[in-house]
Amino acid sequence: MKILYVITGLTVGGAEIVTIDIANGMAERGHTVKLVALNNRDELSGRILPSVEVSTLNMGKSPLSFVQSAWKLRKVIKAFRPDVVHANMVHANIFTRLVRLFTRMPLLISSAHSNNEGGALRMWAYRLTDFLSDINTNVSDGALDWFVKNKWFSKKKSISVYNGINLDKFHRDATNRLAIREKYNIASADFLFLFVGRLIDLKDIPNLIKAFGIVSTQVDNVRLLIVGDGEVREEMEQMASEMPFASKITFAGKQTQTNDYYNAADCFVLSSECEGFGMVLVEAMACGLPVVATDAGGCLEVVGDRQYVAEPKDSEQLAKIMLSVVKLAPEDLARLKETNSQRSSKFSLQTILDRWEKIYGKKC
């Protein structure tokens, strides 16, 4: 089968990494795979297998650049003759749908990766171009229901497909636990909460900091390690520095070996206001961590237990759940770790690749 993936860009982000992993997986399964990026921002080419052909359209923001890029994509499709065109993320989805107005595509799939992919204009564009795709997907039942409810996707041709995680990269490994803790001056006896992700408004880091502050007033030996970078990092560091518990919060910046950080922690916390799937939750669970999240997008579907899920923006409830994990008896904590580790296999990349192959094969 020939599969063409269209993506907005190759910058570091959950949706981009998921798309690359799927493209790589399909190539490893013997399919002929090509990946086209709209813009030339490239931070992830090193993750792409040599067997996956990659090209960029170098799209700019002008109307002329849009037209030129559309013609380039048309030429790619005519030359490659794919059985499936699979677009991912809002810009690539809308763009590829519009190209279909004058380019034959046997099967066009549009995949959203969140319950909120931008402002009202983008979502209206989804609604107006819905008729141009054959199948729409989102990464959780919750996110898909929201799209259907708002008529951004039509119900009759929309399905949810979870993100697939390469679990070979995330597993229990205590080897670097002490090394990571020593690096950030975290005692071995400290209970370490961890956040991994982009530092953007939708992740609601203030919610996390406030909740941790409540926890720190009731438990002495707690720490919070925030791994990631983004547009609000400086603002969040300033906010944390003004808190009476500032010495207990550490910003580690962007890290590549996140498996080591998961294994150095005692509990993972995701405080998002809006989320599509919550890949980091699966990664943490695969490493045997208890996870606490907000009920944003598909987070509850991933966690699978409402007692560890708080309402978005409710710092007090989030803190209460975080405290409940700190106070778990050793045998209950061990049981929770094992449950999470086993549950993570539901979202393994191979399981999700099986699902995509079935979807691709329906009209091929």
Side-chain angles (χ1 to χ4, degrees):
M1 189 185 304
K2 287 186 173 183
I3 309 168
L4 176 66
Y5 293 95
V6 184
I7 191 169
T8 302
L10 296 176
T11 54
V12 174
E16 291 86 348
I17 290 172
V18 165
T19 304
I20 288 171
D21 284 348
I22 292 173
N24 286 341
M26 289 300 177
E28 289 178 328
R29 291 186 174 206
H31 301 291
T32 303
V33 177
K34 185 177 178 67
L35 190 151
V36 174
L38 270 56
N39 62 54
N40 60 0
R41 296 169 61 191
D42 183 3
E43 300 171 1
L44 295 171
S45 58
R47 294 180 65 107
I48 303 172
L49 294 178
S51 56
V52 177
E53 185 182 352
V54 181
S55 63
T56 61
L57 302 180
N58 296 314
M59 183 189 293
K61 296 183 178 181
S62 70
L64 177 60
S65 179
F66 182 93
V67 172
Q68 291 172 334
S69 297
W71 194 254
K72 288 179 185 177
L73 181 58
R74 171 182 165 82
K75 291 176 67 176
V76 168
I77 293 171
K78 290 188 70 176
F80 186 57
R81 300 178 66 184
D83 300 298
V84 178
V85 178
H86 186 174
N88 289 265
M89 305 169 64
V90 60
H91 293 93
N93 285 333
I94 302 303
F95 177 74
T96 308
R97 286 176 173 183
L98 292 175
V99 171
R100 198 184 200 188
L101 288 170
F102 55 90
T103 306
R104 182 182 177 276
M105 303 179 196
L107 176 66
L108 174 58
I109 300 172
S110 298
S111 289
H113 288 257
S114 177
N115 59 356
N116 184 345
E117 290 207 323
L121 184 59
R122 293 180 182 179
M123 307 320 288
W124 269 101
Y126 262 138
R127 182 184 294 190
L128 292 173
T129 60
D130 181 74
F131 73 99
L132 290 167
S133 62
D134 296 302
I135 299 174
N136 299 321
T137 78
N138 211 322
V139 293
S140 68
D141 292 340
L144 182 66
D145 288 346
W146 186 246
F147 265 60
V148 171
K149 178 181 178 180
N150 286 280
K151 299 182 180 179
W152 301 327
F153 281 178
S154 55
K155 184 177 181 178
K156 63 181 180 180
K157 61 178 181 181
S158 299
I159 57 176
S160 61
V161 183
Y162 291 132
N163 284 335
I165 310 299
N166 187 347
L167 297 182
D168 292 338
K169 298 180 180 180
F170 301 99
H171 49 83
R172 298 187 191 188
D173 182 359
T175 306
N176 293 319
R177 179 179 172 87
L178 290 180
I180 295 293
R181 285 173 171 255
E182 287 175 1
K183 181 177 180 179
Y184 299 103
N185 196 29
I186 299 168
S188 59
D190 287 343
F191 191 98
L192 178 60
F193 290 102
L194 175 70
F195 168 89
V196 176
R198 294 168 61 198
L199 302 188
I200 57 176
D201 287 331
L202 292 178
K203 299 298 181 182
D204 201 0
I205 305 302
N207 184 24
L208 174 60
I209 292 174
K210 292 173 186 176
F212 176 76
I214 296 171
V215 173
S216 69
T217 63
Q218 301 187 45
V219 182
D220 290 331
N221 62 326
V222 291
R223 293 287 299 272
L224 172 61
L225 184 60
I226 298 176
V227 175
D229 204 354
E231 58 199 41
V232 301
R233 177 179 176 182
E234 185 176 338
E235 180 185 348
M236 293 302 97
E237 287 182 330
Q238 180 62 36
M239 174 186 175
S241 71
E242 296 171 356
M243 298 295 180
F245 46 88
S247 62
K248 296 185 177 184
I249 301 178
T250 302
F251 287 80
K254 181 180 175 181
Q255 302 293 330
T256 54
Q257 300 300 321
T258 51
N259 187 71
D260 294 342
Y261 286 81
Y262 290 129
N263 278 284
D266 296 298
C267 179
F268 184 84
V269 185
L270 188 62
S271 54
S272 300
E273 172 188 350
C274 178
E275 195 71 51
F277 175 72
M279 282 200 316
V280 287
L281 292 171
V282 179
E283 295 171 358
M285 291 164 70
C287 294
L289 273 182
V291 294
V292 175
T294 50
D295 191 4
C299 292
L300 177 58
E301 295 170 52
V302 174
V303 176
D305 190 336
R306 184 167 284 280
Q307 70 175 310
Y308 296 110
V309 178
E311 290 300 314
K313 292 190 170 297
D314 191 336
S315 301
E316 291 187 3
Q317 187 185 17
L318 185 61
K320 184 178 179 180
I321 298 173
M322 291 165 68
L323 276 167
S324 74
V325 176
V326 175
K327 296 177 180 179
L328 280 173
E331 60 272 20
D332 293 330
L333 181 60
R335 191 179 302 113
L336 177 58
K337 289 181 176 181
E338 182 59 30
T339 297
N340 283 354
S341 181
Q342 292 180 6
R343 182 172 176 78
S344 68
S345 63
K346 176 180 179 180
F347 309 101
S348 74
L349 179 59
Q350 295 307 315
T351 298
I352 303 306
L353 286 173
D354 289 343
R355 180 149 166 73
W356 277 121
E357 280 190 320
K358 290 179 181 178
I359 293 169
Y360 295 162
K362 284 183 178 180
K363 293 192 178 182
C364 296

